[in-house]
Amino acid sequence: MHIRKAVITAAGWGTRFLPATKSQPKEMLPLLGKPIIQYSVEEAVACGVELVVIVTALGKRSMEDHFDRAFELEHFLEQHGKGKLAEEIRRVSNMVDICYVRQKEQLGLGHAVLTAKNVVGSEPFILFLPDDIFPDGATTLKKMMDICARYESSVLAVKEVPEEVVDRYGVIKPRKVEPRLYQAMELVEKPDREEAPSRLAIMGRYVLTPDIFRALELTRPGRGQEIQLTDGLQRLAHERTVYAYEFEGERYDAGTLKTWLETTIALALRDPELGPGLREYLGKLL
Ligand code: UTP
């Protein structure tokens, strides 16, 4: 199935990363050489998406500037013999069409998704939570798009997490359908550890059918007084089947100082240019 549109929610306050995020968006913090949000945009492009909808908010204009042309900078780089860098800067602005919708109040992830309703319209779409970095994301999403096409239903990415951290995630009660594929019978946002229906946690990639918007419109504020996407999906799951795909491969969290640091190190160690030097440096430190 060809999915034309992707939504990237990037309107949150990023409180777990303060004060670094006081005057710059969390999504613009670097991960190796590029801002966090660029990973999601590139993954969307690799999935064949034609329009990326970024949900943004007050004080986050630097994301728009990042994906815009920068003629003066390109000219400067070319004049100074840095044509390759100029080419890379141009590539970032030419990757894909991007439009921005503003979430005027940070009422939660579910509300942020709802903000994109009129731009998405009545077609399935991919949802990216940009803090979550999937090195093999396009492979995972292509499988999820196939499942969405086969069952004409929404599909969430899930991964088994240790019991001690299950209360940090949305968690599903699974019914096995085929290897690595479950029906999500119930979905609970950040359950108490004793009450978690499983250890299958929802990670930041979704292929959603447009009826999620109506479900979200009917969803009242839940945990943290926020309109939770998980609660909207729970409502949807009671009306029709919602699937959860247990993806293979890694997923990193760039949303807090500690996990951003871990993600940076993990990605750098995988990088052919940075990896060997970093490994040697870490060896000296330890
Ligand atoms: P988080 O739970 O990570 O919230 O949101 P946050 O505001 O980014 O960070 P903390 O928890 O305060 O540190 C998950 C995703 O949902 C988006 C965020 O930008 C992030 O991509 N989001 C969250 C919104 O777009 N709007 C909201 O009202 C809440």
Side-chain angles (χ1 to χ4, degrees):
M1 177 172 60
H2 182 48
I3 292 200
R4 298 193 310 138
K5 295 178 185 171
V7 174
I8 304 178
T9 51
W13 286 111
T15 56
R16 287 169 298 160
F17 227 129
L18 283 167
T21 47
K22 185 180 171 196
S23 67
Q24 65 173 333
K26 174 174 67 175
E27 297 76 11
M28 286 302 291
L29 296 173
L31 260 186
L32 307 194
K34 49 193 183 189
I36 290 173
I37 193 164
Q38 193 175 323
Y39 287 82
S40 287
V41 173
E42 288 177 351
E43 205 174 303
V45 172
C47 290
V49 161
E50 292 158 26
L51 177 68
V52 172
V53 184
I54 297 183
V55 182
T56 176
L58 192 72
K60 295 200 155 198
R61 286 282 289 277
S62 58
M63 289 192 291
E64 294 169 48
D65 290 340
H66 180 70
F67 293 108
D68 202 352
R69 280 300 289 273
F71 291 105
E72 287 170 357
L73 176 60
E74 287 169 28
H75 180 70
F76 174 87
L77 292 170
E78 262 149 17
Q79 294 301 303
H80 289 76
K82 297 182 176 173
K84 248 186 138 176
L85 203 49
E87 188 49 48
E88 173 59 15
I89 297 297
R90 231 183 333 266
R91 185 190 72 82
V92 172
S93 51
N94 285 337
M95 278 190 293
V96 65
D97 281 345
I98 303 183
C99 74
Y100 300 87
V101 292
R102 302 266 285 210
Q103 188 190 19
K104 293 173 195 153
E105 279 182 276
Q106 275 79 353
L107 299 178
L109 173 60
H111 181 261
V113 173
L114 204 44
T115 310
K117 176 184 165 190
N118 285 333
V119 186
V120 172
S122 54
E123 52 189 294
F125 63 101
I126 305 176
L127 172 65
F128 290 83
L129 271 49
D131 289 359
D132 279 359
I133 304 291
F134 285 59
D136 310 313
T139 311
T140 294
L141 279 168
K142 282 175 189 162
K143 289 187 181 149
M144 291 168 67
M145 286 191 274
D146 283 348
I147 297 163
C148 176
R150 199 152 26 106
Y151 293 102
E152 296 185 356
S153 297
S154 293
V155 189
L156 333 170
V158 294
K159 193 173 188 61
E160 199 164 274
V161 296
E163 201 180 333
E164 315 85 80
V165 297
V166 83
D167 53 359
R168 294 187 203 160
Y169 296 90
V171 178
I172 65 157
K173 178 179 175 189
R175 186 183 71 81
K176 194 162 182 169
V177 178
E178 53 186 77
R180 297 199 161 268
L181 188 65
Y182 304 90
Q183 180 181 353
M185 308 301 290
E186 304 286 338
L187 301 95
V188 196
E189 183 61 22
K190 300 191 174 73
D192 291 338
R193 282 177 211 173
E194 326 52 80
E195 280 161 28
S198 75
R199 291 198 285 119
L200 285 173
I202 307 170
M203 305 290 173
R205 298 292 181 274
Y206 305 72
V207 177
L208 297 173
T209 50
D211 46 8
I212 186 61
F213 293 121
R214 197 187 34 78
L216 285 169
E217 277 165 348
L218 296 170
T219 301
R220 297 292 117 230
R223 198 160 180 113
Q225 302 310 313
E226 294 190 341
I227 298 177
Q228 298 287 354
L229 175 62
T230 307
D231 294 345
L233 287 165
Q234 160 81 346
R235 179 177 279 275
L236 192 62
H238 283 180
E239 291 170 9
R240 58 179 295 182
T241 315
V242 169
Y243 291 91
Y245 172 65
E246 190 179 2
F247 62 95
E248 290 169 274
E250 294 301 324
R251 163 264 182 191
Y252 301 104
D253 175 11
T256 71
L257 176 59
K258 178 176 171 289
T259 56
W260 171 83
L261 207 50
E262 290 165 358
T263 305
T264 300
I265 293 170
L267 293 183
L269 287 173
R270 291 169 69 119
D271 186 277
E273 267 179 45
L274 297 170
L278 178 65
R279 197 163 280 114
E280 196 184 318
Y281 177 68
L282 289 175
K284 275 190 214 151
L285 287 183
L286 296 170

